[in-house]
Amino acid sequence: MSPSSSQSTSCDPTASASFSSEQNLLPLIVEPAQLLPLLDHPDIVIVDVPLKTESHASHVPGARLLDFKRLVGSNEDEIPGVPSPQALSDIMSELGITRDSHVVAYDDEGGGWAGRLLWTLALLGHTRFSYLNGGLHAWQGEGLALSEAASEWQASEYHAAYVDTSVMATREDILERLSAEAPEEKVVVWDARSLEEYRGEKGQNARLGHIPGAVHFEWTEAMDRERDLRIRDYAELITELGARGISPEQHVVTHCQSHHRSGLTWLVGRALGFEDIRAYPGSWKEWGNREDTPIER
């Protein structure tokens, strides 16, 4: 299921967040029935980011496989947890994504890795993207046909750069805002990990616990298990998040252990209309393995 490199589509390496004036082909959160008639659209690139690679054996017709591990960088990268621009250029080029592509991402677990891919695209200034609500579970739940045929596509020449850093928070950003006195400078940290990790009862890091003042709302709480892992009712989510101290008008930073689970919570925040929601790609893998970061338990 590898792409052909016999033909390439060149892209402008200086493209910015406003690279395309064309309207998005699909909304941010797209239902299976909305995607179905556009499977063969030349500008739509469907990317399957499964937790289990074998899940791609039966995929949405035309979907291109991406190994989720390629989306996660190391703490030694320029931005902890984020692959280098060259590595991201390679990924997008191999997937045949161009700056005109509308990327539809899905996975087999409820949106974590799909959300991580869409967040990465946002970081690169690529604004044409959607999440297939519920992913593979929802597609199958609707009784729609899956394909076992190898998908074919042309490779591209995608030049990645960190264009829109407004979607990202760093360790330094969070530390600065934790000590801010002005209300408009304060941060609300949305911890998407399990309650045991949040409490410091579980984990494989040098130090366990949570960022001081962080609000716990586990990523799975955003999934509707009665509707094939789609995002839950928006009004219910807004109410529940608000009751815990997370609201759309705040400066919100979400994280987990490696910005996998928070791929979904970042996406949910975007869908709910949060004005300023960022993800912390270093996540607890960085924060919990340093000696100079404050921790609560």
Side-chain angles (χ1 to χ4, degrees):
M1 291 189 287
S2 59
S4 168
S5 59
S6 59
Q7 296 179 4
S8 296
T9 302
S10 296
C11 307
D12 178 8
T14 63
S16 68
S18 58
F19 65 87
S20 175
S21 61
E22 295 183 36
Q23 185 176 8
N24 284 352
L25 296 169
L26 292 165
L28 174 63
I29 309 300
V30 60
E31 292 297 327
Q34 292 174 289
L35 178 60
L36 182 62
L38 296 175
L39 290 179
D40 296 323
H41 194 290
D43 289 336
I44 287 182
V45 174
I46 304 171
V47 182
D48 185 347
V49 199
L51 180 64
K52 299 178 180 179
T53 306
E54 57 267 27
S55 296
H56 186 77
S58 297
H59 52 265
V60 172
R64 307 171 189 187
L65 176 65
L66 173 60
D67 183 347
F68 70 84
K69 292 187 290 294
R70 299 183 68 188
L71 292 172
V72 181
S74 71
N75 284 348
E76 285 68 48
D77 283 312
E78 177 184 347
I79 300 174
V82 180
S84 68
Q86 183 56 58
L88 293 175
S89 295
D90 292 343
I91 291 170
M92 302 307 167
S93 297
E94 289 171 22
L95 289 171
I97 295 172
T98 74
R99 286 287 179 176
D100 291 322
S101 298
H102 187 113
V103 179
V104 179
Y106 77 91
D107 57 39
D108 57 357
E109 56 156 2
W113 287 120
R116 174 66 191 247
L117 171 59
L118 299 186
W119 176 86
T120 301
L121 288 169
L123 178 65
L124 302 181
H126 194 115
T127 59
R128 303 185 84 191
F129 57 72
S130 302
Y131 168 58
L132 177 59
N133 202 9
L136 190 64
H137 292 272
W139 190 269
Q140 291 178 295
E142 293 293 314
L144 300 178
L146 293 170
S147 174
E148 295 184 1
S151 302
E152 296 292 337
W153 65 92
Q154 300 295 330
S156 64
E157 293 179 6
Y158 195 104
H159 300 274
Y162 306 141
V163 171
D164 187 5
T165 55
S166 70
V167 302
M168 176 184 66
T170 64
R171 171 176 49 86
E172 293 84 357
D173 294 332
I174 297 171
L175 285 169
E176 181 178 352
R177 286 182 179 269
L178 284 177
S179 60
E181 296 184 2
E184 66 273 12
E185 294 296 327
K186 290 185 177 297
V187 63
V188 176
V189 177
W190 176 350
D191 192 325
R193 298 175 300 160
S194 69
L195 188 58
E196 292 77 13
E197 289 171 282
Y198 176 80
R199 289 174 172 169
E201 301 166 353
K202 177 183 176 181
Q204 298 179 340
N205 306 279
R207 302 162 70 210
L208 305 180
H210 58 265
I211 296 173
V215 177
H216 180 256
F217 191 92
E218 190 171 351
W219 72 306
T220 55
E221 294 185 71
M223 302 177 195
D224 190 340
R225 298 191 178 280
E226 301 300 318
R227 298 181 60 246
D228 299 311
L229 303 187
R230 287 175 170 85
I231 296 173
R232 286 177 50 206
D233 179 81
Y234 288 9
E236 290 182 3
L237 281 173
I238 285 285
T239 299
E240 290 185 21
L241 288 167
R244 299 193 197 186
I246 305 174
S247 57
E249 68 276 4
Q250 295 170 314
H251 175 79
V252 179
V253 172
T254 186
H255 80 90
C256 57
Q257 169 68 18
S258 62
H259 189 24
H260 155 220
R261 292 168 284 182
S262 55
L264 175 64
T265 51
W266 173 82
L267 180 64
V268 166
R270 287 284 294 259
L272 295 179
F274 278 47
E275 297 176 6
D276 183 6
I277 183 164
R278 307 181 185 214
Y280 169 32
S283 279
W284 201 257
K285 187 176 181 181
E286 179 189 26
W287 195 278
N289 285 311
R290 296 182 62 96
E291 294 295 330
D292 58 352
T293 47
I295 289 177
E296 287 183 347
R297 295 186 66 169

